[in-house]
Every structure is written in structure tokens, then in C-alpha cells.
Amino acid sequence: MAEKSIVQLIKSFNPDSLKPVVLVYGGEEFLKKQLVEKIKAAGEIHILWGDELTYPQLKEVFSSSSLFSEGNTAVILFFEAFVSKLSKEEIKDFGEFVKNIALPDRLFLFLKGEKIPAREPFKSLKGNADVVISAPLTPKAFYISVKNKIEKAGKKIDEDTLKYLVGKLKNDLYYAKQEIEKLLTYIGDKGTVEKEDVNAVVVPEPRENVFTFLDRFFAKDISALRIYRQLVNSTHHPFEIQSLLLGQINRLLLFKTLLEKGKSPEAAFSQMNVKHPAMKGSIQKQASYVTKRQLVDMIKELYTLEKEQKVNFADVYKSSEEFILKRVLG
């Protein structure tokens, strides 16, 4: 199985050079976002979320005619979430469905994971689809990428300063893009980037995760908003974070309800099938910050938010951030 590099695919994106089905995997989320933008620019597409998509809905996309372009193009994000909901019969049928997709129809499948699972339908897909890997750049390629961005802006940077800058950017493409744009704005008309400029602008970004975000969110700590933005800018879509929030809110609501019924914390965790000590600690801590009424209100607000986003086409990023801000400040 010869894999294609996502970097080369983005540089010279030509749908006609690809099979009707394309499977994308790997840990570099920024490059995946860039590829989705290239697909969007090539014509009308359907963006589908694997955690919400059903198999009949997917088949419906390809059974109807496209209004504005020849054939149908669909992108499934979080493809593994879609697969996890399929029955054995649907997995078998899906394999045949994929084999029968032919041009001008196209199907792009994006995995979150860094590896392709060995089970079906992934195993069969590797033989029927173009496989694209979205791996982090090598240190040398990242170095060249940073150098090219600065030189394309008409600026100079000596080798020692460039190495110093690259070391601060930690081989993170999204972070590098943001920091280099800030750096270029900072130096203005000056023709050369110097180490003092790098020190004035570029601050290594702390790497915090969704668990830290959840703790800060329920504690009504304003830093939750900063962590949320970091997550969205690097690895997570707002829909994914909203789904994580909804799941945790339901856990907290169940935990508090069981305690009200006289269960001990350990008995409640046993009934909830929560075994990991760290998870138990997080649930207890987060539950202490909120009332049952607040949890129920958040569930209602999240469902209303999702309706606004998916039915009334509210800006996903703006509306999701507004929800976080309202709850942290409320």
C-alpha cells in the first residue's frame, strides 16, 4: 500500500489524480484542515460528522443529484466514530458501498487517530482507497517551512536566529503560523528578523488538554476560554468539545442524582462503571462546583446551541465560544 503525503497533495491538489475514495489519517490536524479547505475550493461538498452521521444518511447523499456540480463529494470527519455505530451487517454493506463509488462521486474519510485500525472496514479500505498520511513535518522540513514563510514576506533572518525561532515553535504548524504572523507584524518595515524580535513576540505555548479545560469550565475559571481556543486552534472542532461537555455534564448529573438517593461515592462510581481513580477525582471535584439545576440548564442550552448551528447555520466557532464565555462568567 503506497501512501501519499498530505503535504504534496496540498501543494498540488488535483482531484482527478485521486481514487474516488480517499482515507486520511495521522496526527497533524493542521494539515488535515488545509486539505479540507482544498476540497471545498474544488466544488460543492457535503461536510459530515462521524459522531452524528448514520449509514442511511450517507447513502442518501450519494443517491441524490448534486445541484451545482457533477457528482457528489462528501467529507466524513471523525470517520472512526461513524464506523463505531455500524452494525455487523452495515459494516459488510459499507464495504460494498465504498467499492461501488465511482467518479464523478468522491468520498473523503478523515481519521483522528495516528494509525489505521486493523479491523473492518478499515482493512478493506486500505485496498480500495487512496491512503494519505498527515504526519508532523520532519525537523528539517519544519525548519524549511518556517524559513520560507519569513522569506516570502520579504524579510531576512540569519541561521542562528532561525534555529532559535524554530526551537520555540516546537514543530507545531498551527502555532508557527500564528506566531510568525505576529512576528512579521511586530517588525513592520524592518527588513531583518532578529533574536530580540523573537523574544518580544514568541512565547512557547503551554500544552493543556481537554481534561484541564473541563476542570476550569466547571470551576468557572476564565482560563477555560483560553484553553478552549487553544484546543480549537490545534486539535479539536467546536462540535467535538460540545460533545465532550455534554457527556461530562450527563455524568455529573447522574453522579449527583445517585448521591441524592443515598448512594456513597464509591457505590455511585460502581453503578456508573467509573473505575479510574483520576476520573473519580475529577467527577467529584467538578460536581462540587455545580448544582443539578445548572447541569440541566446547560444540557438544554447545548441542545439549543446545536440546533442553531446545524439548522439556522449560526457561526459554529463564534456561537460555541459565546456559550463557553457565558457559562464561565455566569
Side-chain angles (χ1 to χ4, degrees), residues 12-243:
S12 54
F13 184 70
N14 177 14
D16 293 335
S17 68
L18 298 169
K19 292 180 180 179
V21 180
V22 179
L23 180 65
V24 185
Y25 79 101
E28 183 50 77
E29 295 298 323
F30 179 69
L31 293 176
K32 292 179 189 175
K33 291 179 182 179
Q34 286 190 317
L35 179 56
V36 172
E37 292 304 313
K38 289 285 186 180
I39 300 169
K40 285 182 180 178
E44 179 194 5
I45 69 170
H46 302 270
I47 299 289
L48 308 168
W49 292 90
D51 56 339
E52 299 176 349
L53 179 68
T54 66
Y55 188 36
Q57 288 171 338
L58 176 62
K59 295 175 78 172
E60 178 64 25
V61 168
F62 287 94
S63 66
S64 58
S65 299
S66 174
L67 294 175
F68 304 107
S69 61
E70 186 181 0
N72 289 288
T73 298
V75 170
I76 302 181
L77 304 173
F78 308 142
F79 175 59
E80 55 265 67
F82 167 74
V83 171
S84 70
K85 297 183 296 182
L86 298 179
S87 66
K88 290 183 179 180
E89 292 74 18
E90 286 177 326
I91 288 175
K92 183 177 180 181
D93 189 75
F94 178 75
E96 294 301 315
F97 170 76
V98 168
K99 287 180 184 178
N100 291 325
I101 293 179
L103 299 177
D105 289 337
R106 299 181 183 279
L107 178 61
F108 292 84
L109 309 171
F110 284 78
L111 292 169
K112 288 284 289 182
E114 297 188 14
K115 294 182 179 180
I116 302 175
R119 65 183 186 277
E120 293 293 353
F122 304 100
K123 186 176 179 180
S124 297
L125 275 171
K126 288 192 289 186
N128 297 316
D130 271 329
V131 177
V132 177
I133 181 169
S134 180
L137 297 183
T138 64
K140 181 178 180 180
F142 184 72
Y143 176 94
I144 293 171
S145 174
V146 173
K147 181 180 180 181
N148 287 342
K149 289 179 187 299
I150 292 172
E151 292 181 346
K152 284 181 180 178
K155 307 298 182 182
K156 296 180 181 179
I157 184 169
D158 64 53
E159 187 174 350
D160 287 341
T161 304
L162 179 58
K163 287 181 179 178
Y164 182 69
L165 172 60
V166 167
K168 282 200 164 194
L169 298 177
K170 305 293 184 184
N171 202 358
D172 184 325
L173 286 173
Y174 192 92
Y175 179 57
K177 177 179 181 293
Q178 290 180 311
E179 295 305 294
I180 291 172
E181 288 174 355
K182 283 163 48 180
L183 183 60
L184 294 173
T185 300
Y186 177 77
I187 66 172
D189 295 331
K190 193 169 74 168
T192 302
V193 177
E194 299 174 347
K195 188 174 181 179
E196 291 75 17
D197 302 319
V198 175
N199 285 332
V201 175
V202 181
V203 179
E205 186 178 33
R207 284 291 166 202
E208 294 172 294
N209 58 33
V210 292
F211 303 107
T212 304
F213 164 73
L214 290 173
D215 281 343
R216 305 284 176 84
F217 173 82
F218 289 110
K220 294 189 175 182
D221 185 329
I222 191 61
S223 65
L225 184 61
R226 173 184 58 78
I227 300 171
Y228 166 82
R229 288 172 175 165
Q230 179 184 304
L231 292 169
V232 168
N233 288 339
S234 55
T235 55
H236 292 71
H237 189 277
F239 284 162
E240 187 179 7
I241 295 177
Q242 288 171 204
S243 178

Side-chain angles (χ1 to χ4, degrees), residues 242-281:
Q242 288 171 204
S243 178
L244 287 166
L245 269 174
L246 184 60
Q248 191 68 356
I249 290 168
N250 280 314
R251 288 188 194 94
L252 299 182
L253 186 58
L254 176 57
F255 179 69
K256 292 180 80 71
T257 299
L258 291 173
L259 292 185
E260 284 185 359
K261 291 182 177 180
K263 297 279 188 180
S264 68
E266 280 304 316
F269 287 133
S270 177
Q271 188 167 333
M272 295 166 64
N273 198 31
V274 175
K275 300 178 181 178
H276 198 283
M279 185 176 291
K280 291 178 182 179

